[in-house]
Amino acid sequence: MSTPLRVAAFVTALVVAFAVAWGGGRLVGPVEAEPIAHEGTADHGETAAADDGDDHGGHDASAAVADVGGLTARADGFTLDLAERTLPAGRTRLDFRVLTSSGRPLLDYTREHEKDLHLIVVRRDLTGFQHVHPRLDTATGTWSVDVRLTPGVWRVVADFTPEGWDGLTLADDVAVPGDFTPEGLPSDTRVAELETDEGTYTVALEGDTAPGADTVLTTSIELDGEPVTDLEPYLGAFGHLVAIRSGDLGYLHVHPEEGDAGPGIDFATAFPTPGTYRLFLDFQHRGTVHTAAFTVEASGVPGSTTTDHGEEGDHDH
């Protein structure tokens, strides 16, 4: 082999070796900035991590990570497009669109829990939680809803299913100017008390919160010390539980299971990583929707549920 050919081969080998090392053992090619959406495709992961494995039935943390959404405003060619990134404090209107890979607004949704889209709005310190349902203007593809915001940075989380696709959770931030003092989360609390015109609701949370374990969380509800057995359906279920991870505000998919109208409500989920999570339970009783909030520390190993949790009531949602 001539000297120029040897040099070319050597350089090629170096480039390939560097690419393999940099890519963690995989050759890295061009990355498409906006993947093309293909309706009817069987596997639609929300993030690159979700596409790395198809086994979500086990109890290891790497599988459970795939069930975290709301970490990005763009996934699978769909984009959460906020009309404004700065909104005034107080009652204000929030407008947004969901765009397809072609840049057109998404108009066709599969209804889940009686709504085409569920919107979670929560301040980044995990206070001020709101679960709202905007209305879609089919002429413009714009969703609109009134929300009440205080100064700070708020996370807007859209949970929806495009027609012909799996469910997606996209999220982005809006800033609200004004004096802002972040609030610290309460310690691990598994009992919340809600003072209402009907009396005092006491809501307890039980279940294995060790990271990486598929688990069933049970919430039980009492009113003035008596079990509530006449919960009313809200969005097609007797309760809805939203779990958000502190820090990156990863949104956990929590699924209500069929059951009686109280006092217990079961939810299937998994805490993918060790950390602090904020849980918000919406339930309807006597015509009013109430929200109970809990702080959960996910630690330990599956099956080692800690029973010593704070009993202090929590009124900050």
Side-chain angles (χ1 to χ4, degrees):
M1 181 182 295
S2 65
T3 299
L5 289 177
R6 289 194 187 97
V7 171
F10 178 73
V11 170
T12 301
L14 280 179
V15 171
V16 172
F18 179 78
V20 172
W22 184 259
R26 294 181 298 173
L27 290 177
V28 179
V31 177
E32 215 172 296
E34 189 169 3
I36 302 300
H38 297 286
E39 289 193 5
T41 302
D43 184 16
H44 309 295
E46 291 189 15
T47 64
D51 292 333
D52 285 341
D54 295 326
D55 181 12
H56 304 296
H59 293 278
D60 67 286
S62 61
V65 169
D67 207 29
V68 177
L71 297 178
T72 177
R74 176 180 294 181
D76 270 4
F78 296 95
T79 302
L80 176 63
D81 179 40
L82 300 178
E84 302 288 343
R85 293 193 169 275
T86 302
L87 292 174
R91 189 175 181 85
T92 186
R93 196 173 86 168
L94 175 65
D95 295 327
F96 65 93
R97 299 181 299 168
V98 177
L99 303 179
T100 66
S101 59
S102 65
R104 293 189 295 269
L106 177 66
L107 299 178
D108 299 317
Y109 297 80
T110 298
R111 182 156 291 200
E112 300 284 349
H113 296 297
E114 300 183 350
K115 299 292 181 179
D116 286 346
L117 185 145
H118 296 260
L119 197 72
I120 303 300
V121 184
V122 62
R123 208 168 68 174
R124 273 202 161 266
D125 59 359
L126 295 180
T127 64
F129 173 85
Q130 297 167 71
H131 179 178
V132 293
H133 301 98
R135 292 188 175 183
L136 175 64
D137 182 347
T138 55
T140 64
T142 299
W143 292 91
S144 301
V145 67
D146 286 341
V147 292
R148 187 173 296 277
L149 307 177
T150 55
V153 178
W154 288 75
R155 192 69 166 168
V156 179
V157 183
D159 188 348
F160 61 96
T161 301
E163 188 174 279
W165 287 69
D166 290 340
L168 289 172
T169 307
L170 304 179
D172 208 344
D173 288 348
V174 294
V176 180
D179 294 335
F180 167 63
T181 302
E183 299 183 25
L185 289 179
S187 58
D188 193 313
T189 50
R190 307 295 173 95
V191 176
E193 290 187 351
L194 309 175
E195 299 291 343
T196 73
D197 293 339
E198 298 288 341
T200 300
Y201 287 94
T202 302
V203 187
L205 175 72
E206 296 181 354
D208 191 349
T209 59
D214 291 338
T215 187
V216 173
L217 300 178
T218 299
T219 58
S220 58
I221 303 171
E222 294 182 351
L223 176 59
D224 292 333
E226 295 296 325
V228 174
T229 58
D230 58 344
L231 292 172
E232 299 157 357
Y234 173 59
L235 301 175
F238 288 119
H240 292 273
L241 188 66
V242 170
I244 301 177
R245 183 169 55 194
S246 178
D248 62 3
L249 271 60
Y251 176 95
L252 303 192
H253 294 269
V254 184
H255 309 285
E257 300 191 343
E258 293 185 6
D260 299 326
I265 315 171
D266 293 336
F267 301 91
T269 189
F271 295 91
T273 60
T276 303
Y277 295 80
R278 191 71 166 156
L279 277 59
F280 302 91
L281 171 69
D282 288 336
F283 65 93
Q284 182 168 304
H285 188 232
R286 298 179 180 175
T288 301
V289 176
H290 303 283
T291 302
F294 309 90
T295 301
V296 167
E297 294 289 344
S299 60
V301 297
S304 61
T305 306
T306 302
T307 57
D308 183 16
H309 305 296
E311 298 284 325
E312 183 178 352
D314 178 45
H315 306 283
D316 182 13
H317 311 312

